[in-house]
Amino acid sequence: MKNFLQLTLKQALHNLHSGEGGPFGAVIVKNNKVISQAHNTVMKDNDPTAHAEINAIRQACKKLKTYHLADCVLYTNAEPCPMCLAAAYWARIKKIFYINSKEEVKKYTPFIDAKIYKELCSDEKSISLQQISTDHAEGLQLLKQWQKENKDFY
């Protein structure tokens, strides 16, 4: 485990002076073997979703040719933000090991993770969400068709 965590630190250190993104690294391991390792490339890619964990998940899925990483472990140098945690859920990752807590990340970085966590648990959002019912029947039909054609998806 220590070796995998050291790899996350190595990836994060890359970004300390590169200007590619924040000081974050991630490694995905399957059967004690490194499948992918990545760092944050938000600034380099002009992509707010290019966090280390997301990049590592994308690489691992491509390499393993699957969108389920249930047999994998995610290592990261910081507790995953809400987006990365959600991505780990979507990928079916069962275990995450991290070095720094979200409280430590909040203390030393300008990131809005705490605000996002709070809003996700609240009915009040700073982003306006509004359901439009005009095409509801058509939209619902798509979901029903998906369910019918993809019974074995999960």
Side-chain angles (χ1 to χ4, degrees):
M1 179 188 316
K2 184 169 174 53
N3 291 340
F4 301 137
L5 291 170
Q6 285 297 311
L7 288 174
T8 72
L9 291 170
K10 182 179 177 185
Q11 287 290 325
L13 183 61
H14 169 82
N15 275 2
L16 202 54
H17 303 290
S18 74
E20 291 184 3
F24 304 103
V27 173
I28 294 184
V29 174
K30 181 177 180 176
N31 298 327
N32 230 17
K33 226 175 127 179
V34 174
I35 302 300
S36 67
Q37 48 183 315
H39 56 274
N40 182 302
T41 58
V42 167
M43 292 161 29
K44 174 185 157 211
D45 296 338
N46 291 314
D47 179 354
T49 69
H51 290 197
E53 298 91 337
I54 301 288
N55 290 340
I57 287 169
R58 288 175 178 155
Q59 289 174 19
C61 288
K62 282 182 183 175
K63 184 172 184 179
L64 297 174
K65 295 181 170 92
T66 182
Y67 48 87
H68 284 172
L69 302 175
D71 297 333
C72 296
V73 177
L74 172 61
Y75 293 85
T76 181
N77 68 302
E79 187 172 353
C81 74
M83 176 184 66
C84 293
L85 185 58
Y89 274 102
W90 278 107
R92 306 299 192 268
I93 292 171
K94 303 273 191 278
K95 190 167 270 202
I96 300 172
F97 292 103
Y98 62 90
I99 298 171
N100 297 111
S101 70
K102 62 185 176 208
E103 291 77 21
E104 291 167 319
V105 171
K106 179 183 175 184
K107 182 177 178 180
Y108 294 104
T109 68
F111 304 121
I112 62 168
D113 298 19
K115 177 186 176 189
I116 297 170
Y117 274 116
K118 184 178 177 182
E119 281 200 26
L120 289 175
C121 296
S122 170
D123 289 337
E124 293 184 34
K125 308 282 190 255
S126 62
I127 295 175
S128 175
L129 295 167
Q130 183 177 355
Q131 183 177 14
I132 305 296
S133 59
T134 312
D135 300 309
H136 187 257
E138 188 178 351
L140 199 54
Q141 185 56 40
L142 286 170
L143 295 174
K144 290 176 181 178
Q145 190 65 32
W146 164 262
Q147 181 184 43
K148 181 180 173 185
E149 294 176 12
N150 295 280
K151 294 225 181 265
D152 299 325
F153 184 71
Y154 289 103

